[in-house]
Amino acid sequence: MWALKNGQVPWLAVIVVVILLFWFFLGHMLFALFLGRQPMVNISSSAEVFLSANGLTMLAIGTGVGAGFLTLIFSMTLFGLPMLIDRDVDFMTAGLASIAQVMAYPVPYMIWGAVIGLASIAAIIPAFLGMFIVLPLFGHATWHLYKIQQIPDHSRPQKSG
């Protein structure tokens, strides 16, 4: 990975960070829109604010917005990162090919994303120590998933005739 630091991998990371920053901005905007005038001074008063009509609406819309951003980042990086390591492609080609692959088979990949999410939540419980197992395990599994997929290489010009 260190040898790829001057290649396309950091650019994919930049795109992910920009998407995350926009996601955070929208989260703050939704909070301000629905609960901007609500006083939340401590943990005991927060529950009644979040369980109000505005709070529940904010949580529902925020969950939908978050799911959309999560799906975009997951789809873009699932095969995008392994493709950048394996092939000589630019980050846009890798990200778009990854999104196309996930769109072609959405159900199995969304199940895979749910497995990753649930395992990550379980790994966080013991003071984040489970992440030392989960992250390499799913990184390795995703690499093998990428290798068995037949993702077309659109980076090379097609020969005609």
Side-chain angles (χ1 to χ4, degrees):
M1 284 300 298
W2 188 253
L4 300 172
K5 72 181 184 328
N6 294 325
Q8 294 291 307
V9 173
W11 289 109
L12 184 61
V14 166
I15 295 298
V16 169
V17 168
V18 168
I19 292 171
L20 285 172
L21 290 172
F22 188 64
W23 184 359
F24 294 156
F25 170 76
L26 281 179
H28 285 277
M29 187 181 74
L30 285 172
F31 182 85
L33 182 66
F34 288 100
L35 300 175
R37 295 182 170 262
Q38 299 290 333
M40 293 177 49
V41 292
N42 58 36
I43 192 81
S44 63
S45 66
S46 296
E48 68 184 48
V49 171
F50 282 119
L51 295 177
S52 68
N54 279 347
L56 291 174
T57 304
M58 181 208 61
L59 290 173
I61 292 173
T63 300
V65 168
F69 279 107
L70 176 65
T71 302
L72 174 64
I73 291 173
F74 174 76
S75 299
M76 185 174 36
T77 58
L78 179 64
F79 295 121
L81 186 57
M83 187 180 293
L84 289 174
I85 294 168
D86 187 44
R87 302 179 188 177
D88 185 25
V89 296
D90 62 292
F91 70 95
M92 288 301 293
T93 300
L96 292 174
S98 182
I99 290 170
Q101 184 71 13
V102 171
M103 286 176 61
Y105 306 100
V107 174
Y109 291 129
M110 290 304 118
I111 292 171
W112 179 240
V115 168
I116 291 172
L118 291 173
S120 297
I121 290 170
I124 289 171
I125 293 170
F128 288 86
L129 294 174
M131 291 300 222
F132 288 112
I133 296 168
V134 168
L135 291 178
L137 177 71
F138 284 124
H140 187 72
T142 300
W143 174 259
H144 284 286
L145 182 63
Y146 161 76
K147 290 305 274 186
I148 65 170
Q149 296 301 309
Q150 299 300 317
I151 301 172
D153 189 355
H154 297 292
S155 64
R156 296 185 187 114
Q158 300 295 321
K159 295 181 182 178
S160 60

